[in-house]
Structures are given as C-alpha cells and as structure tokens.
PDB file of all heavy atoms in Angstrom:
ATOM      1  N   ALA A   1       3.913  11.750  16.263  1.00 97.00           N
ATOM      2  CA  ALA A   1       2.619  11.697  15.617  1.00 97.00           C
ATOM      3  C   ALA A   1       2.720  11.857  14.086  1.00 97.00           C
ATOM      4  O   ALA A   1       2.104  11.064  13.342  1.00 97.00           O
ATOM      5  CB  ALA A   1       1.691  12.785  16.166  1.00 97.00           C
ATOM      6  N   GLU A   2       3.540  12.754  13.610  1.00 97.00           N
ATOM      7  CA  GLU A   2       3.783  12.909  12.223  1.00 97.00           C
ATOM      8  C   GLU A   2       4.524  11.735  11.624  1.00 97.00           C
ATOM      9  O   GLU A   2       4.236  11.274  10.529  1.00 97.00           O
ATOM     10  CB  GLU A   2       4.538  14.210  11.949  1.00 97.00           C
ATOM     11  CG  GLU A   2       3.834  15.500  12.343  1.00 97.00           C
ATOM     12  CD  GLU A   2       2.597  15.789  11.547  1.00 97.00           C
ATOM     13  OE1 GLU A   2       2.467  15.287  10.338  1.00 97.00           O
ATOM     14  OE2 GLU A   2       1.718  16.465  12.032  1.00 97.00           O
ATOM     15  N   ALA A   3       5.559  11.285  12.318  1.00 97.00           N
ATOM     16  CA  ALA A   3       6.329  10.108  11.819  1.00 97.00           C
ATOM     17  C   ALA A   3       5.457   8.871  11.813  1.00 97.00           C
ATOM     18  O   ALA A   3       5.643   8.039  10.908  1.00 97.00           O
ATOM     19  CB  ALA A   3       7.553   9.885  12.664  1.00 97.00           C
ATOM     20  N   ARG A   4       4.543   8.699  12.717  1.00 97.00           N
ATOM     21  CA  ARG A   4       3.630   7.549  12.734  1.00 97.00           C
ATOM     22  C   ARG A   4       2.776   7.516  11.458  1.00 97.00           C
ATOM     23  O   ARG A   4       2.593   6.523  10.843  1.00 97.00           O
ATOM     24  CB  ARG A   4       2.808   7.543  13.975  1.00 97.00           C
ATOM     25  CG  ARG A   4       1.854   6.354  14.102  1.00 97.00           C
ATOM     26  CD  ARG A   4       1.030   6.345  15.376  1.00 97.00           C
ATOM     27  NE  ARG A   4       1.931   6.381  16.537  1.00 97.00           N
ATOM     28  CZ  ARG A   4       1.942   7.390  17.439  1.00 97.00           C
ATOM     29  NH1 ARG A   4       1.137   8.416  17.315  1.00 97.00           N
ATOM     30  NH2 ARG A   4       2.713   7.354  18.466  1.00 97.00           N
ATOM     31  N   ILE A   5       2.271   8.662  11.067  1.00 98.00           N
ATOM     32  CA  ILE A   5       1.443   8.817   9.889  1.00 98.00           C
ATOM     33  C   ILE A   5       2.200   8.381   8.665  1.00 98.00           C
ATOM     34  O   ILE A   5       1.768   7.554   7.866  1.00 98.00           O
ATOM     35  CB  ILE A   5       0.924  10.248   9.723  1.00 98.00           C
ATOM     36  CG1 ILE A   5      -0.165  10.560  10.809  1.00 98.00           C
ATOM     37  CG2 ILE A   5       0.254  10.419   8.270  1.00 98.00           C
ATOM     38  CD1 ILE A   5      -0.540  12.040  10.874  1.00 98.00           C
ATOM     39  N   VAL A   6       3.449   8.912   8.554  1.00 98.00           N
ATOM     40  CA  VAL A   6       4.292   8.536   7.421  1.00 98.00           C
ATOM     41  C   VAL A   6       4.585   7.035   7.487  1.00 98.00           C
ATOM     42  O   VAL A   6       4.491   6.356   6.421  1.00 98.00           O
ATOM     43  CB  VAL A   6       5.624   9.340   7.406  1.00 98.00           C
ATOM     44  CG1 VAL A   6       6.642   8.778   6.434  1.00 98.00           C
ATOM     45  CG2 VAL A   6       5.308  10.816   7.123  1.00 98.00           C
ATOM     46  N   ASN A   7       4.929   6.524   8.576  1.00 97.00           N
ATOM     47  CA  ASN A   7       5.263   5.062   8.710  1.00 97.00           C
ATOM     48  C   ASN A   7       4.045   4.205   8.322  1.00 97.00           C
ATOM     49  O   ASN A   7       4.160   3.244   7.563  1.00 97.00           O
ATOM     50  CB  ASN A   7       5.635   4.748  10.133  1.00 97.00           C
ATOM     51  CG  ASN A   7       6.068   3.343  10.334  1.00 97.00           C
ATOM     52  OD1 ASN A   7       7.101   2.856   9.728  1.00 97.00           O
ATOM     53  ND2 ASN A   7       5.299   2.578  11.089  1.00 97.00           N
ATOM     54  N   ASP A   8       2.850   4.600   8.794  1.00 98.00           N
ATOM     55  CA  ASP A   8       1.631   3.819   8.469  1.00 98.00           C
ATOM     56  C   ASP A   8       1.398   3.877   6.973  1.00 98.00           C
ATOM     57  O   ASP A   8       1.070   2.848   6.372  1.00 98.00           O
ATOM     58  CB  ASP A   8       0.413   4.371   9.185  1.00 98.00           C
ATOM     59  CG  ASP A   8       0.519   4.065  10.704  1.00 98.00           C
ATOM     60  OD1 ASP A   8       1.344   3.348  11.176  1.00 98.00           O
ATOM     61  OD2 ASP A   8      -0.350   4.750  11.441  1.00 98.00           O
ATOM     62  N   LYS A   9       1.514   5.040   6.340  1.00 98.00           N
ATOM     63  CA  LYS A   9       1.277   5.158   4.889  1.00 98.00           C
ATOM     64  C   LYS A   9       2.282   4.355   4.104  1.00 98.00           C
ATOM     65  O   LYS A   9       1.900   3.718   3.095  1.00 98.00           O
ATOM     66  CB  LYS A   9       1.253   6.622   4.513  1.00 98.00           C
ATOM     67  CG  LYS A   9      -0.021   7.361   5.051  1.00 98.00           C
ATOM     68  CD  LYS A   9      -0.139   8.692   4.448  1.00 98.00           C
ATOM     69  CE  LYS A   9      -1.524   9.289   4.896  1.00 98.00           C
ATOM     70  NZ  LYS A   9      -2.693   8.552   4.429  1.00 98.00           N
ATOM     71  N   ILE A  10       3.532   4.350   4.527  1.00 98.00           N
ATOM     72  CA  ILE A  10       4.491   3.533   3.798  1.00 98.00           C
ATOM     73  C   ILE A  10       4.188   2.049   3.941  1.00 98.00           C
ATOM     74  O   ILE A  10       4.255   1.326   2.960  1.00 98.00           O
ATOM     75  CB  ILE A  10       5.856   3.869   4.360  1.00 98.00           C
ATOM     76  CG1 ILE A  10       6.375   5.230   3.859  1.00 98.00           C
ATOM     77  CG2 ILE A  10       6.916   2.736   4.007  1.00 98.00           C
ATOM     78  CD1 ILE A  10       7.717   5.705   4.493  1.00 98.00           C
ATOM     79  N   SER A  11       3.788   1.613   5.108  1.00 97.00           N
ATOM     80  CA  SER A  11       3.413   0.188   5.342  1.00 97.00           C
ATOM     81  C   SER A  11       2.237  -0.217   4.501  1.00 97.00           C
ATOM     82  O   SER A  11       2.226  -1.313   3.972  1.00 97.00           O
ATOM     83  CB  SER A  11       3.204  -0.021   6.871  1.00 97.00           C
ATOM     84  OG  SER A  11       4.324   0.184   7.583  1.00 97.00           O
ATOM     85  N   VAL A  12       1.212   0.626   4.449  1.00 98.00           N
ATOM     86  CA  VAL A  12       0.038   0.317   3.704  1.00 98.00           C
ATOM     87  C   VAL A  12       0.331   0.211   2.204  1.00 98.00           C
ATOM     88  O   VAL A  12      -0.089  -0.682   1.527  1.00 98.00           O
ATOM     89  CB  VAL A  12      -1.128   1.308   4.024  1.00 98.00           C
ATOM     90  CG1 VAL A  12      -2.234   1.218   3.005  1.00 98.00           C
ATOM     91  CG2 VAL A  12      -1.605   1.188   5.408  1.00 98.00           C
ATOM     92  N   LEU A  13       1.067   1.171   1.730  1.00 98.00           N
ATOM     93  CA  LEU A  13       1.537   1.181   0.269  1.00 98.00           C
ATOM     94  C   LEU A  13       2.356  -0.035  -0.017  1.00 98.00           C
ATOM     95  O   LEU A  13       2.097  -0.653  -1.014  1.00 98.00           O
ATOM     96  CB  LEU A  13       2.205   2.500  -0.041  1.00 98.00           C
ATOM     97  CG  LEU A  13       2.819   2.679  -1.452  1.00 98.00           C
ATOM     98  CD1 LEU A  13       1.696   2.441  -2.509  1.00 98.00           C
ATOM     99  CD2 LEU A  13       3.506   3.906  -1.618  1.00 98.00           C
ATOM    100  N   TYR A  14       3.313  -0.316   0.798  1.00 98.00           N
ATOM    101  CA  TYR A  14       4.248  -1.438   0.567  1.00 98.00           C
ATOM    102  C   TYR A  14       3.370  -2.774   0.547  1.00 98.00           C
ATOM    103  O   TYR A  14       3.539  -3.645  -0.336  1.00 98.00           O
ATOM    104  CB  TYR A  14       5.311  -1.514   1.571  1.00 98.00           C
ATOM    105  CG  TYR A  14       6.328  -2.557   1.293  1.00 98.00           C
ATOM    106  CD1 TYR A  14       6.988  -2.619   0.062  1.00 98.00           C
ATOM    107  CD2 TYR A  14       6.657  -3.538   2.182  1.00 98.00           C
ATOM    108  CE1 TYR A  14       7.985  -3.556  -0.174  1.00 98.00           C
ATOM    109  CE2 TYR A  14       7.538  -4.536   1.938  1.00 98.00           C
ATOM    110  CZ  TYR A  14       8.216  -4.541   0.779  1.00 98.00           C
ATOM    111  OH  TYR A  14       9.208  -5.510   0.548  1.00 98.00           O
ATOM    112  N   GLY A  15       2.467  -2.851   1.476  1.00 97.00           N
ATOM    113  CA  GLY A  15       1.524  -4.060   1.525  1.00 97.00           C
ATOM    114  C   GLY A  15       0.766  -4.215   0.290  1.00 97.00           C
ATOM    115  O   GLY A  15       0.674  -5.274  -0.309  1.00 97.00           O
ATOM    116  N   LEU A  16       0.207  -3.074  -0.205  1.00 98.00           N
ATOM    117  CA  LEU A  16      -0.555  -3.155  -1.487  1.00 98.00           C
ATOM    118  C   LEU A  16       0.319  -3.515  -2.602  1.00 98.00           C
ATOM    119  O   LEU A  16      -0.126  -4.389  -3.423  1.00 98.00           O
ATOM    120  CB  LEU A  16      -1.121  -1.720  -1.708  1.00 98.00           C
ATOM    121  CG  LEU A  16      -1.994  -1.483  -2.919  1.00 98.00           C
ATOM    122  CD1 LEU A  16      -2.964  -0.332  -2.613  1.00 98.00           C
ATOM    123  CD2 LEU A  16      -1.189  -1.135  -4.186  1.00 98.00           C
ATOM    124  N   LEU A  17       1.498  -3.033  -2.680  1.00 98.00           N
ATOM    125  CA  LEU A  17       2.380  -3.384  -3.796  1.00 98.00           C
ATOM    126  C   LEU A  17       2.789  -4.866  -3.737  1.00 98.00           C
ATOM    127  O   LEU A  17       2.853  -5.524  -4.747  1.00 98.00           O
ATOM    128  CB  LEU A  17       3.628  -2.496  -3.808  1.00 98.00           C
ATOM    129  CG  LEU A  17       3.345  -1.031  -4.129  1.00 98.00           C
ATOM    130  CD1 LEU A  17       4.608  -0.190  -3.931  1.00 98.00           C
ATOM    131  CD2 LEU A  17       2.833  -0.865  -5.581  1.00 98.00           C
ATOM    132  N   ARG A  18       3.093  -5.319  -2.536  1.00 97.00           N
ATOM    133  CA  ARG A  18       3.467  -6.786  -2.377  1.00 97.00           C
ATOM    134  C   ARG A  18       2.299  -7.711  -2.786  1.00 97.00           C
ATOM    135  O   ARG A  18       2.587  -8.718  -3.389  1.00 97.00           O
ATOM    136  CB  ARG A  18       3.923  -7.064  -0.985  1.00 97.00           C
ATOM    137  CG  ARG A  18       5.185  -6.290  -0.489  1.00 97.00           C
ATOM    138  CD  ARG A  18       6.371  -6.959  -1.080  1.00 97.00           C
ATOM    139  NE  ARG A  18       6.403  -8.338  -0.522  1.00 97.00           N
ATOM    140  CZ  ARG A  18       7.222  -9.237  -0.796  1.00 97.00           C
ATOM    141  NH1 ARG A  18       8.216  -9.015  -1.614  1.00 97.00           N
ATOM    142  NH2 ARG A  18       7.181 -10.423  -0.302  1.00 97.00           N
ATOM    143  N   ARG A  19       1.047  -7.306  -2.411  1.00 97.00           N
ATOM    144  CA  ARG A  19      -0.094  -8.136  -2.832  1.00 97.00           C
ATOM    145  C   ARG A  19      -0.272  -8.116  -4.293  1.00 97.00           C
ATOM    146  O   ARG A  19      -0.509  -9.235  -4.924  1.00 97.00           O
ATOM    147  CB  ARG A  19      -1.328  -7.607  -2.057  1.00 97.00           C
ATOM    148  CG  ARG A  19      -1.360  -7.909  -0.572  1.00 97.00           C
ATOM    149  CD  ARG A  19      -2.725  -7.646   0.074  1.00 97.00           C
ATOM    150  NE  ARG A  19      -3.171  -6.248  -0.148  1.00 97.00           N
ATOM    151  CZ  ARG A  19      -2.822  -5.252   0.702  1.00 97.00           C
ATOM    152  NH1 ARG A  19      -2.062  -5.464   1.711  1.00 97.00           N
ATOM    153  NH2 ARG A  19      -3.292  -4.058   0.472  1.00 97.00           N
ATOM    154  N   ILE A  20      -0.197  -6.993  -4.986  1.00 97.00           N
ATOM    155  CA  ILE A  20      -0.313  -6.945  -6.412  1.00 97.00           C
ATOM    156  C   ILE A  20       0.852  -7.820  -7.058  1.00 97.00           C
ATOM    157  O   ILE A  20       0.592  -8.653  -7.951  1.00 97.00           O
ATOM    158  CB  ILE A  20      -0.271  -5.511  -6.963  1.00 97.00           C
ATOM    159  CG1 ILE A  20      -1.452  -4.724  -6.570  1.00 97.00           C
ATOM    160  CG2 ILE A  20      -0.096  -5.484  -8.487  1.00 97.00           C
ATOM    161  CD1 ILE A  20      -1.421  -3.243  -6.829  1.00 97.00           C
ATOM    162  N   ASP A  21       2.062  -7.568  -6.577  1.00 97.00           N
ATOM    163  CA  ASP A  21       3.212  -8.311  -7.147  1.00 97.00           C
ATOM    164  C   ASP A  21       3.047  -9.795  -6.890  1.00 97.00           C
ATOM    165  O   ASP A  21       3.445 -10.606  -7.792  1.00 97.00           O
ATOM    166  CB  ASP A  21       4.464  -7.765  -6.417  1.00 97.00           C
ATOM    167  CG  ASP A  21       5.746  -8.343  -7.023  1.00 97.00           C
ATOM    168  OD1 ASP A  21       5.730  -8.934  -8.126  1.00 97.00           O
ATOM    169  OD2 ASP A  21       6.833  -8.279  -6.359  1.00 97.00           O
ATOM    170  N   GLY A  22       2.533 -10.199  -5.763  1.00 96.00           N
ATOM    171  CA  GLY A  22       2.367 -11.622  -5.478  1.00 96.00           C
ATOM    172  C   GLY A  22       1.128 -12.279  -6.114  1.00 96.00           C
ATOM    173  O   GLY A  22       0.955 -13.495  -5.975  1.00 96.00           O
ATOM    174  N   GLY A  23       0.359 -11.486  -6.825  1.00 94.00           N
ATOM    175  CA  GLY A  23      -0.818 -12.041  -7.529  1.00 94.00           C
ATOM    176  C   GLY A  23      -2.030 -12.300  -6.602  1.00 94.00           C
ATOM    177  O   GLY A  23      -2.858 -13.070  -6.984  1.00 94.00           O
ATOM    178  N   VAL A  24      -2.025 -11.701  -5.442  1.00 96.00           N
ATOM    179  CA  VAL A  24      -3.136 -11.894  -4.520  1.00 96.00           C
ATOM    180  C   VAL A  24      -3.657 -10.551  -4.025  1.00 96.00           C
ATOM    181  O   VAL A  24      -3.827 -10.272  -2.841  1.00 96.00           O
ATOM    182  CB  VAL A  24      -2.767 -12.785  -3.283  1.00 96.00           C
ATOM    183  CG1 VAL A  24      -2.532 -14.245  -3.720  1.00 96.00           C
ATOM    184  CG2 VAL A  24      -1.512 -12.207  -2.585  1.00 96.00           C
ATOM    185  N   PRO A  25      -4.075  -9.678  -4.991  1.00 94.00           N
ATOM    186  CA  PRO A  25      -4.528  -8.388  -4.549  1.00 94.00           C
ATOM    187  C   PRO A  25      -5.961  -8.397  -3.919  1.00 94.00           C
ATOM    188  O   PRO A  25      -6.690  -9.299  -4.254  1.00 94.00           O
ATOM    189  CB  PRO A  25      -4.564  -7.596  -5.896  1.00 94.00           C
ATOM    190  CG  PRO A  25      -4.751  -8.565  -6.943  1.00 94.00           C
ATOM    191  CD  PRO A  25      -4.046  -9.794  -6.416  1.00 94.00           C
ATOM    192  N   GLN A  26      -6.163  -7.498  -3.024  1.00 95.00           N
ATOM    193  CA  GLN A  26      -7.529  -7.273  -2.521  1.00 95.00           C
ATOM    194  C   GLN A  26      -8.317  -6.522  -3.556  1.00 95.00           C
ATOM    195  O   GLN A  26      -7.721  -5.987  -4.513  1.00 95.00           O
ATOM    196  CB  GLN A  26      -7.463  -6.642  -1.162  1.00 95.00           C
ATOM    197  CG  GLN A  26      -6.743  -7.435  -0.137  1.00 95.00           C
ATOM    198  CD  GLN A  26      -6.678  -6.734   1.211  1.00 95.00           C
ATOM    199  OE1 GLN A  26      -7.056  -5.555   1.361  1.00 95.00           O
ATOM    200  NE2 GLN A  26      -6.177  -7.407   2.218  1.00 95.00           N
ATOM    201  N   PRO A  27      -9.680  -6.459  -3.394  1.00 92.00           N
ATOM    202  CA  PRO A  27     -10.506  -5.759  -4.377  1.00 92.00           C
ATOM    203  C   PRO A  27     -10.043  -4.339  -4.761  1.00 92.00           C
ATOM    204  O   PRO A  27     -10.090  -3.909  -5.901  1.00 92.00           O
ATOM    205  CB  PRO A  27     -11.899  -5.793  -3.849  1.00 92.00           C
ATOM    206  CG  PRO A  27     -11.892  -6.978  -2.940  1.00 92.00           C
ATOM    207  CD  PRO A  27     -10.526  -7.086  -2.405  1.00 92.00           C
ATOM    208  N   ASP A  28      -9.517  -3.565  -3.792  1.00 92.00           N
ATOM    209  CA  ASP A  28      -9.120  -2.191  -4.067  1.00 92.00           C
ATOM    210  C   ASP A  28      -7.665  -2.071  -4.346  1.00 92.00           C
ATOM    211  O   ASP A  28      -7.168  -0.922  -4.546  1.00 92.00           O
ATOM    212  CB  ASP A  28      -9.460  -1.324  -2.831  1.00 92.00           C
ATOM    213  CG  ASP A  28     -10.944  -1.105  -2.619  1.00 92.00           C
ATOM    214  OD1 ASP A  28     -11.747  -1.282  -3.615  1.00 92.00           O
ATOM    215  OD2 ASP A  28     -11.345  -0.766  -1.524  1.00 92.00           O
ATOM    216  N   ASP A  29      -6.898  -3.144  -4.500  1.00 96.00           N
ATOM    217  CA  ASP A  29      -5.510  -3.058  -4.766  1.00 96.00           C
ATOM    218  C   ASP A  29      -5.295  -2.908  -6.265  1.00 96.00           C
ATOM    219  O   ASP A  29      -5.334  -3.876  -6.995  1.00 96.00           O
ATOM    220  CB  ASP A  29      -4.795  -4.341  -4.265  1.00 96.00           C
ATOM    221  CG  ASP A  29      -4.737  -4.443  -2.784  1.00 96.00           C
ATOM    222  OD1 ASP A  29      -4.976  -3.398  -2.050  1.00 96.00           O
ATOM    223  OD2 ASP A  29      -4.398  -5.518  -2.235  1.00 96.00           O
ATOM    224  N   THR A  30      -5.025  -1.690  -6.655  1.00 97.00           N
ATOM    225  CA  THR A  30      -4.774  -1.387  -8.094  1.00 97.00           C
ATOM    226  C   THR A  30      -3.563  -0.500  -8.204  1.00 97.00           C
ATOM    227  O   THR A  30      -3.154   0.164  -7.182  1.00 97.00           O
ATOM    228  CB  THR A  30      -5.989  -0.710  -8.734  1.00 97.00           C
ATOM    229  OG1 THR A  30      -6.137   0.638  -8.122  1.00 97.00           O
ATOM    230  CG2 THR A  30      -7.286  -1.497  -8.616  1.00 97.00           C
ATOM    231  N   ILE A  31      -3.021  -0.474  -9.347  1.00 97.00           N
ATOM    232  CA  ILE A  31      -1.867   0.472  -9.561  1.00 97.00           C
ATOM    233  C   ILE A  31      -2.269   1.910  -9.413  1.00 97.00           C
ATOM    234  O   ILE A  31      -1.542   2.715  -8.804  1.00 97.00           O
ATOM    235  CB  ILE A  31      -1.259   0.215 -11.080  1.00 97.00           C
ATOM    236  CG1 ILE A  31      -0.623  -1.150 -11.141  1.00 97.00           C
ATOM    237  CG2 ILE A  31      -0.243   1.295 -11.367  1.00 97.00           C
ATOM    238  CD1 ILE A  31       0.519  -1.459 -10.225  1.00 97.00           C
ATOM    239  N   GLU A  32      -3.493   2.175  -9.813  1.00 97.00           N
ATOM    240  CA  GLU A  32      -4.007   3.600  -9.610  1.00 97.00           C
ATOM    241  C   GLU A  32      -4.106   3.912  -8.155  1.00 97.00           C
ATOM    242  O   GLU A  32      -3.789   5.056  -7.724  1.00 97.00           O
ATOM    243  CB  GLU A  32      -5.321   3.781 -10.371  1.00 97.00           C
ATOM    244  CG  GLU A  32      -5.171   3.983 -11.850  1.00 97.00           C
ATOM    245  CD  GLU A  32      -4.134   5.069 -12.224  1.00 97.00           C
ATOM    246  OE1 GLU A  32      -4.169   6.149 -11.675  1.00 97.00           O
ATOM    247  OE2 GLU A  32      -3.239   4.686 -13.063  1.00 97.00           O
ATOM    248  N   GLN A  33      -4.600   2.945  -7.361  1.00 98.00           N
ATOM    249  CA  GLN A  33      -4.643   3.176  -5.877  1.00 98.00           C
ATOM    250  C   GLN A  33      -3.224   3.352  -5.306  1.00 98.00           C
ATOM    251  O   GLN A  33      -2.999   4.222  -4.498  1.00 98.00           O
ATOM    252  CB  GLN A  33      -5.334   2.042  -5.189  1.00 98.00           C
ATOM    253  CG  GLN A  33      -5.445   2.099  -3.713  1.00 98.00           C
ATOM    254  CD  GLN A  33      -6.210   3.281  -3.217  1.00 98.00           C
ATOM    255  OE1 GLN A  33      -6.954   3.959  -3.964  1.00 98.00           O
ATOM    256  NE2 GLN A  33      -6.089   3.601  -1.925  1.00 98.00           N
ATOM    257  N   ALA A  34      -2.279   2.608  -5.780  1.00 98.00           N
ATOM    258  CA  ALA A  34      -0.922   2.737  -5.361  1.00 98.00           C
ATOM    259  C   ALA A  34      -0.354   4.131  -5.733  1.00 98.00           C
ATOM    260  O   ALA A  34       0.319   4.765  -4.957  1.00 98.00           O
ATOM    261  CB  ALA A  34      -0.038   1.686  -5.995  1.00 98.00           C
ATOM    262  N   ARG A  35      -0.667   4.610  -6.943  1.00 98.00           N
ATOM    263  CA  ARG A  35      -0.223   5.966  -7.383  1.00 98.00           C
ATOM    264  C   ARG A  35      -0.835   7.007  -6.475  1.00 98.00           C
ATOM    265  O   ARG A  35      -0.176   8.011  -6.144  1.00 98.00           O
ATOM    266  CB  ARG A  35      -0.619   6.166  -8.815  1.00 98.00           C
ATOM    267  CG  ARG A  35       0.331   5.438  -9.771  1.00 98.00           C
ATOM    268  CD  ARG A  35      -0.006   5.770 -11.203  1.00 98.00           C
ATOM    269  NE  ARG A  35       1.004   5.155 -12.076  1.00 98.00           N
ATOM    270  CZ  ARG A  35       0.686   4.593 -13.269  1.00 98.00           C
ATOM    271  NH1 ARG A  35      -0.548   4.493 -13.631  1.00 98.00           N
ATOM    272  NH2 ARG A  35       1.688   4.067 -13.908  1.00 98.00           N
TER     273      ARG A  35
END
C-alpha cells in the first residue's frame, strides 16, 4: 500500500514533467506544481 502511493506519485510527477518538456502541458502542469 505504501509502495503503491510512492509509485503513483512518481508516475504522476514524471508524466507532468514529460508533458511540460514536450510542449503539451495540461492547464495545471507548471514547474511550481512539479516542485
């Protein structure tokens, strides 16, 4: 259960970073949100 939370958070963060990096961010995808 604890590892799943960590895995999910890593996946969400990595997805956000990839979208910003790829130039296709969603409305809430910001560097501040990533931080």
